[in-house]
Each structure stands twice: as C-alpha cells, then as structure tokens.
Amino acid sequence: MSHSPVTASDHDLLTALGRQLRVDAILAADAASSGHPTSSLSAADLMAVLLARHLRYDFEASQNPANDHLIFSKGHASPLLYAMYVAAGAISPEELRWYRSSGSRLQGHPTPALPWVDVATGSLGQGLGIGAGIAWSGLRLDKRDFRVWVLCGDGELAEGSVWEAVEFAAHERLRNLTAVVDVNRLGQRGPTRHGWDTGAYARRLGAFGWHTIEVDGHDTDAIDAAYTEAAAHTGGPTAVLARTRKGSGVRAVEDAEGAHGKPLPDAAEAVAELGGRRAIRVQVEAPEYEQPSRPDLRSLAIPVYERGDQVAPRTAFGQALAALGHARSDLVVLDAEVADSTRTGYFEAEHPERFVECHIAEQQLTATAVGLAVRGWLPFAATFAAFWSRAYDFVRMASISGVDLCLAGSHAGVSIGEDGPSQMGLEDLALFRALWRSTVLYPCDANQTAHLVAAMTEHSGIRYLRTTRGEMPVLYGPEETFPVGGSKVLRSSATDEVTIVAAGITVPEALRAADVLADSGVNARVIDLYSVKPCDAATLRRAAADTGRVVTVEDHWPQGGLGDAVLDALTGALAMPSVLKLGVLALPGSATPAEQLRHAGIDADSVVEAARELLSG
C-alpha cells in the first residue's frame, strides 16, 4: 500500500468520500426511521482515509488470514460501517434501504451476519479489548503482519474495561494495534467527561505506555499522516485521538445536543448540503491471499484416575487441559492470575507459548479469548466461578457473535469452605444457562471431568465447565463415557419411590442419602445430571414417571440452576411429579466445607429429610 503524501487529487477524493459516507449513513437511518447518523458523521473522514489509503482487506475473501481487522467498538455508528461497505463494493447502495429491517443483514449494531464483521458490537467498551486479543494472536501465534484498527467513541472511554484493554495492549507491546478515538464531545444525553480535551486522553493513554497522536478528525491530510505514523511505530500500540464534531457536515445537527440516536430532521436537505449522492468506489488494497492454517489434531490420551482415589475436579481439569494441548495445536489457555487455583498452570508448564496471563482483569480475559477465537484458535479461559459475573456482558456479546469459547469456573459454591461468600460462585449455572447456544457442564469426579474437558472441544458456542475445589472420590472408571446432554443413573430399581437429582459436589451427598433411605426401606433413584444444559430430559421424565417424586440438590442459589433445569425438562410431562428443590438459601459465612453443606441444607441428611417430606405428603 502506498503511504506517499496526499496529493491534491487524493485530498479531493478523500473529501468527497467522506461526504459520500455521510450521505449514505443519513439515507440509511432515514429509511429505517431510526439509527445513529450523527455519530456516523463525526467519524466519516476518519474512516474515509482508512478505507482508501490504509486498510488492507480482501472483501472477496473475508477469511483470508492476512486481512486487516476493523472493529467498530462504537457499534451504534453502524450506518457509517455499512456506507464503507458500499464504497468498497461489498454491498449495493440499494441494500442500505433495508437497514434495521426485519431479515436484513444490516442490523442496528454490527453482527457477523455480515462476513466482514468479526464480532457483534454495541455494548460499549468491548471493541478495544477484543481488538487487543486479535492483535496478540497476530504477533504471538499467527506470526502475520496484519493490523487491527478499532474505532472507539470518546464516551466509552469511561468504561473500566477499556482501561483493562489499554494496559494489556501496552504490557504486551501490541505494535499492530491502532485505536482510532472519535472525540466528538457529545454522548447520548450531553457532553462527555473530557469534551474535546484530546490531551486528557493522551495523558492517560501515554501513562500506560501507548503512543498517542492528536489530530483534527476532519483534516484528511493530518489523519493520513497519523495512520502512517501509527503503522511505523514499533514500540507498542498507538491511539489516534481525533477531535471531531458530532453531526459534522450538516448545520442542523452539527455539535448539537439532543440529536443522538435520531434520524436527521430533513434528510433531503442534509444530502443537498453535503453535495448530493455520489457513487465513489474504492479499490481497497487486498493482501496476498494466504491459506488458513489447519490445527494439528492428534489422538488424545486423557488422564486416568482409579476408583476410590480422592482427586479434586479442578486438578483433573488442569491435567486434562495439559494433555489436550498435546493433541490439539490450536488450543490456547487463558487465566486471570489464578492459574495455581484453577489448575491451568499444568497447561502453562507444558505449553507456555499458548498460555495467556491476563492478570486480574476478567473482562480482558474474555475479550482476549474472543479475539483468539476470531483468528481461528480454540480458547479455553478460566477463573473463579464467582468472577465470571464481572465478565458476563463480554460472554453475552460473544454468544451474540456466535463465537466458540470454552470457559471454566473453579471454586464454585459454598463447598469451597472458609473463604466466605465473596469467593463462592453461586450464580454461575444460572448465568451460563441463560445464554444462547450455551453448554453447561458440572462434573462430580476426576474421570468425568477429564472426559468433559475433551468433549467441550467438539461442541460450538459458549461452553462452561464448573469445577470443584476440594478433593472428591473417583466414582467412575476410565472406561465410562459422558456425552454432552447425557446423565448417569447411579441408583435404580423397579421399586424406587423418589428420585434424587444432583451434580458435582452434591452427587456423593445424594448417594449417601440413598444409602440412608435404603436402610429404612425406601429405594431412591439417584441421577448425576452432569450436563445441566442441554439436559437429559428423557431420563428425568422417565424417573419422574416411575417415582412420582423428585428432589433436586445443588450447591447454588435455587434460582436458575440445576433445580430449574430439571423443572424445565419436566414441563409438559404427562404427569408432573412432586418436586422439592434444595439449594443455598441463606448467605453463607466462613466454615469448613462439610459445615457449609450442612448449614446450606444440601448435605446427605438434608436430602434424606426432603425425600421423607415428599414421601409423607
């Protein structure tokens, strides 16, 4: 790509292209009677220069691994992105008329329904972190020279996740990452925190180690020079801080409050003011096509544990990951500075080049994982189950993006013991069950854990594995199989009077309860529902029909977890059984694991009491 100085003819072309992008964005929002044209107008010149002179992208081959990546973190400026696609010849001008319409690819915020969109955006503060993950992949794993460009709004720089991304990118010296910040002064309801003070942003970013360039965001020559400087800077990431005017080019809305998120009051007048419609087509420089690499897949020998041994599921998780790393060259593991606790340290020791330490920054942990998935890697990210709640919006958006992620949460539930409620994941099953296309797994022993870790790599969407901190007895032999969507019936007879459904830490408690009940002449069926989503509805319905009574027991709040998964599976059954859900009802404190289970009412004695209550009803 030529980075020679902008000539007079180049200048005229870039000015005209900026106006064309504005016009097309205005007309798209006008056709939809909704949208964010003023946020698009402010960044039009920034994107005109990028598209015409700096972006390297093959729109005919969106999967070309050598392509640059462009992420609109300010996803509400989608009319501008779609106008760029028109200028590049990727979509027709006519398609803009269907913006925000039912069935249209041109949704209100960008999604991968379009092949040139890497991830869904619109939840502000996420694009830079994902861009950093893509850039990390390019430098550390892909060994390719593509660049990552992220268009950010100034308002979203108030998000803490942005600064997690800023520090990660600086620490990792991501020289292939450029943030283009549209400093247009106005947010949704009024001025942003720093207004047009680009120096304030420069000082903050510079303190983290970023190279910063302050420019007039409507001076195409200055923008071009800034992008050239960013590409030449090899010391780390660069931020182009561009002072712009929201609604630029249209007097009725330029730098005007109260115009955010609305079509222009008179689109025809605005188009005329901008010089009318144009049909400029930009020949975006396409990098030489490179064949996507394929992972080296070998036979997997997962760890094997002997029945009766005491092994923590989190340990089996870490050992299985390390083994999986030898079988799959595309597996990358990420951790949030708790690798000794989550046991991802086993993987780090054997595959350090494919381990990412994200430190105590769970949002960036997830964003980096998403960026790696965009580049075709298989990311497996781990932290405490409780701390996934901090990153939940990133996981939610990853689901919307259709990204494939494997996630693990250790230290789940009250059974962690003395650390207290701040460390206890008691909401995680509900959080992950609620996601679109998600898989939620909760193993109870080491062999089951190892099998499920391997199984997760064969599925799609968001996959979550809940691991237990303490040692647990190995119940299953290594020959057992655990298909996703299945369950294991551990006790069963033709005379069962009650069904006990458990998972994870409560499975041994359910088995002990069944033994106590058997001693008093009551046969209980015990189901290990290790696949919480998808759920083995057939086995549950059969047990409910056979026994007429169901007790669910889980180390989780009673809302949204195992018990609700069982109720969902039983909904619509010909005969609804009597169901009693046991879960953590009161806020726990510090106590031993055994005391915690007893206090929470989810130990064996509590299960026996619940079963007898149903039997006496």
Side-chain angles (χ1 to χ4, degrees):
M1 170 167 286
S2 171
H3 290 128
S4 57
V6 176
T7 65
S9 60
D10 291 334
H11 178 86
D12 291 344
L13 171 66
L14 293 172
T15 300
L17 179 58
R19 290 177 179 171
Q20 174 178 305
L21 297 179
R22 288 179 171 88
V23 166
D24 284 349
I26 289 167
L27 292 176
D30 188 64
S33 299
S34 67
H36 297 78
T38 59
S39 299
S40 300
L41 270 55
S42 61
D45 295 316
L46 295 168
M47 293 299 99
V49 176
L50 181 64
L51 184 69
R53 286 182 57 85
H54 293 269
L55 188 69
R56 296 177 304 164
Y57 198 93
D58 186 349
F59 283 92
E60 297 291 324
S62 63
Q63 297 304 309
N64 182 351
N67 282 339
D68 282 356
H69 292 264
L70 172 60
I71 297 176
F72 263 49
S73 190
K74 52 175 289 181
H76 55 286
S78 59
L80 173 59
L81 181 63
Y82 304 151
M84 292 173 71
Y85 292 158
V86 170
I91 66 174
S92 69
E94 290 72 28
E95 190 171 355
L96 286 178
R97 294 184 298 178
W98 302 106
Y99 174 57
R100 287 185 167 227
S101 297
S102 175
S104 172
R105 300 186 299 171
L106 309 186
Q107 298 178 24
H109 292 76
T111 75
L114 291 161
W116 319 287
V117 174
D118 288 322
V119 290
T121 55
S123 183
L124 294 175
Q126 297 198 16
L128 187 59
I130 294 169
I134 295 172
W136 192 94
S137 177
L139 289 181
R140 306 286 189 269
L141 299 175
D142 303 309
K143 312 295 185 183
R144 301 183 190 273
D145 65 354
F146 62 77
R147 293 200 66 78
V148 182
W149 305 86
V150 182
L151 177 64
C152 300
D154 52 345
E156 71 178 298
L157 267 62
E159 287 279 5
S161 59
V162 169
W163 300 100
E164 288 187 18
V166 166
E167 184 159 27
F168 175 82
H171 181 266
E172 298 294 333
R173 300 177 69 84
L174 301 181
R175 62 181 182 273
N176 54 347
L177 174 65
T178 301
V180 181
V181 185
D182 179 18
V183 186
N184 64 26
R185 188 184 77 84
L186 292 174
Q188 177 166 324
R189 55 152 299 280
T192 56
R193 180 171 288 159
H194 298 293
W196 275 321
D197 187 359
T198 55
Y201 297 116
R203 289 189 296 275
R204 286 159 175 76
L205 287 158
F208 282 94
W210 279 58
H211 179 57
T212 60
I213 308 168
E214 299 174 63
V215 297
D216 177 346
H218 301 304
D219 181 338
T220 54
D221 292 7
I223 297 166
D224 182 78
Y227 292 165
T228 302
E229 182 180 336
H233 180 70
T234 59
T238 297
V240 176
L241 301 164
R243 175 172 170 157
T244 65
R245 296 181 300 280
K246 199 164 186 176
S248 172
V250 180
R251 286 187 296 271
V253 293
E254 187 168 288
D255 192 34
E257 295 189 27
H260 180 90
K262 302 174 184 176
L264 270 57
D266 190 328
E269 181 180 288
V271 169
E273 186 178 347
L274 289 164
R277 300 197 67 173
R278 295 172 175 82
I280 300 170
R281 293 296 173 265
V282 176
Q283 187 63 45
V284 178
E285 181 176 328
E288 184 176 346
Y289 185 80
E290 298 181 17
Q291 195 69 30
S293 59
R294 298 183 182 276
D296 178 17
L297 303 181
R298 306 172 188 173
S299 59
L300 170 63
I302 61 173
V304 171
Y305 306 92
E306 294 298 323
R307 268 199 188 95
D309 285 353
Q310 294 285 325
V311 182
R314 61 169 172 159
T315 298
F317 160 70
Q319 292 171 343
L321 263 189
L324 195 60
H326 293 290
R328 295 196 61 133
S329 63
D330 60 340
L331 180 65
V332 184
V333 172
L334 308 91
D335 201 277
E337 206 183 274
V338 285
D340 54 340
S341 293
T342 61
R343 299 297 196 252
T344 59
Y346 288 108
F347 185 95
E348 181 184 15
E350 297 187 33
H351 315 282
E353 75 286 355
R354 286 185 278 136
F355 181 83
V356 191
E357 177 55 76
C358 295
H359 298 278
I360 305 172
E362 290 84 7
Q363 294 175 105
Q364 187 55 42
L365 168 79
T366 314
T368 305
V370 171
L372 292 170
V374 165
R375 291 297 304 171
W377 298 91
L378 176 62
F380 222 124
T383 187
F384 285 15
F387 303 152
W388 278 117
S389 59
R390 183 172 301 192
Y392 187 67
D393 189 37
F394 279 76
V395 180
R396 179 185 71 90
M397 288 298 294
S399 174
I400 293 171
S401 296
V403 169
D404 293 331
L405 294 182
C406 294
L407 309 176
S410 69
H411 292 61
V414 300
S415 61
I416 70 168
E418 292 86 348
D419 275 348
S422 69
Q423 311 299 296
M424 297 172 176
L426 290 166
E427 308 84 7
D428 54 316
L429 295 178
L431 293 177
F432 286 99
R433 280 187 66 232
L435 294 170
W436 179 61
R437 292 178 63 232
S438 63
T439 298
V440 182
L441 306 171
Y442 187 13
C444 71
D445 86 338
N447 283 324
Q448 191 177 66
T449 301
H451 278 276
L452 291 177
V453 169
M456 290 171 75
T457 66
E458 304 300 324
H459 285 260
S460 61
I462 306 299
R463 290 148 276 179
Y464 177 67
L465 182 78
R466 191 186 214 221
T467 65
T468 301
R469 177 188 190 182
E471 292 184 345
M472 295 182 63
V474 176
L475 299 177
Y476 298 107
E479 74 285 353
E480 295 274 4
T481 59
F482 305 93
V484 171
S487 66
K488 287 290 183 180
V489 180
L490 296 173
R491 295 279 196 281
S492 180
S493 76
T495 58
D496 290 338
E497 298 179 67
V498 63
T499 298
I500 305 168
V501 184
I505 192 69
T506 58
V507 170
E509 301 299 322
L511 290 172
R512 282 193 284 272
D515 291 342
V516 172
L517 289 168
D519 288 343
S520 63
V522 175
N523 289 331
R525 189 167 303 182
V526 177
I527 298 175
D528 171 11
L529 197 70
Y530 64 83
S531 183
V532 181
K533 181 187 177 184
C535 196
D536 186 357
T539 296
L540 292 170
R541 288 188 174 195
R542 189 178 309 113
D546 289 346
T547 66
R549 305 171 187 87
V550 176
V551 175
T552 68
V553 55
E554 58 189 309
D555 191 1
H556 188 274
W557 299 125
Q559 294 81 19
L562 176 79
D564 282 356
V566 171
L567 287 175
D568 288 346
L570 295 177
T571 299
L574 292 177
M576 191 68 178
S578 298
V579 179
L580 205 163
K581 293 196 307 178
L582 300 183
V584 181
L585 295 175
L587 185 68
S590 291
T592 67
E595 289 171 332
Q596 296 281 18
L597 295 177
R598 185 169 67 253
H599 295 163
I602 55 174
D603 64 344
D605 290 344
S606 300
V607 175
V608 169
E609 183 179 341
R612 286 174 173 161
E613 180 180 337
L614 286 180
L615 289 164
S616 65

